[in-house]
Amino acid sequence: MARSTATKTAPPSLDTKSRPSRRRGKDTFEVILTTAGELLAEVGFERLTTNLVCQRAGLTPPALYRYFPNKYALLKELAHRLMDAQDKAVLAWIEAGGTQASTLEESVAKNRDLQKQINAITRAFPGGDWILRALRALPMLQEVQTTSRDSIAATLFEMLRTEHPGIDENRLRTATRLTTQMAYAATEMVLEEPDQDEDQINEEICWMVALYYDHLTQGASASRKG
């Protein structure tokens, strides 16, 4: 009996081939991404193709392939941009004192404002809800969101460790990663299930987060007094 040899298919490249430095190239680069985002919102990531992008944008395939080797590289670039937009909003919120509150209700309100802002940013981003689906469904893209989550969690960890000395650092590090991931999940639910009550989802996730950190910080205060 002849023994068949399994061939391994190399994963598609996700790297942008080049980034333009001249105005015309930059314009083409942005047209490609904008068109890809618009089509993503219309047809989803499974039906998205580079040919569709070229047809809609009025470009030849070589013009697109000069920058992006395949649709997955397009998705990765779009995902990076969405994550960057979200991260900037979170970092600005932290810088403005978002983690500081004198009451539990104030903490909930501040977290709710941030959650609404992140939802709005994602909703306004071309193909934003489909980018979230792609990040969750395609293993090759999951690192984009993981990197974003870990960066934000690390910043939260440093801020909260300074604000609450004595808190168990291992628990705090785990908490910042968990709550950041929970916030992502709440945004996904809001955008992917439009029949759900967005205000209620925001309210519940923010109470969960606020109560969780209140428990951690109260425990740290009790330990110091003891």
Side-chain angles (χ1 to χ4, degrees), residues 70-121:
N70 50 57
K71 76 173 186 179
Y72 299 103
L74 279 169
L75 287 169
K76 183 180 179 181
E77 181 68 23
L78 288 170
H80 271 303
R81 291 189 174 201
L82 176 56
M83 294 296 100
D84 284 346
Q86 291 183 349
D87 291 352
K88 286 178 181 177
V90 177
L91 293 173
W93 177 83
I94 293 173
E95 185 68 23
T99 62
Q100 301 166 9
S102 57
T103 66
L104 192 57
E105 289 74 16
E106 182 184 1
S107 178
V108 172
K110 285 188 171 185
N111 278 279
R112 186 171 56 235
D113 289 343
L114 175 62
Q115 196 69 26
K116 287 181 178 179
Q117 188 177 356
I118 296 300
N119 291 353
I121 288 170

Side-chain angles (χ1 to χ4, degrees), residues 37-92:
E38 292 171 351
L39 281 169
L40 191 58
E42 295 175 20
V43 304
F45 65 82
E46 291 181 347
R47 293 174 58 197
L48 180 71
T49 66
T50 53
N51 284 337
L52 275 177
V53 175
C54 289
Q55 291 169 12
R56 174 70 65 87
L59 297 170
T60 63
L64 184 149
Y65 292 133
R66 180 179 181 182
Y67 304 112
F68 302 100
N70 50 57
K71 76 173 186 179
Y72 299 103
L74 279 169
L75 287 169
K76 183 180 179 181
E77 181 68 23
L78 288 170
H80 271 303
R81 291 189 174 201
L82 176 56
M83 294 296 100
D84 284 346
Q86 291 183 349
D87 291 352
K88 286 178 181 177
V90 177
L91 293 173

Side-chain angles (χ1 to χ4, degrees), residues 6 11 28 33 36 39 60 78 83 92 103 123 126 155 160 174 180 183 191 194 201 210:
T28 300
L33 288 171
L39 281 169
T60 63
L78 288 170
M83 294 296 100
T103 66
R123 186 177 283 114
T155 302
L160 292 170
T174 299
T180 302
L191 269 72
I201 292 171

Side-chain angles (χ1 to χ4, degrees), residues 119 123 132 136 182-198 201:
N119 291 353
R123 186 177 283 114
L132 296 184
R136 188 173 64 251
M182 287 164 61
Y184 278 130
T187 294
E188 290 172 1
M189 182 182 292
V190 165
L191 269 72
E192 296 177 19
E193 301 179 39
D195 57 322
Q196 298 294 319
D197 187 330
E198 179 173 353
I201 292 171

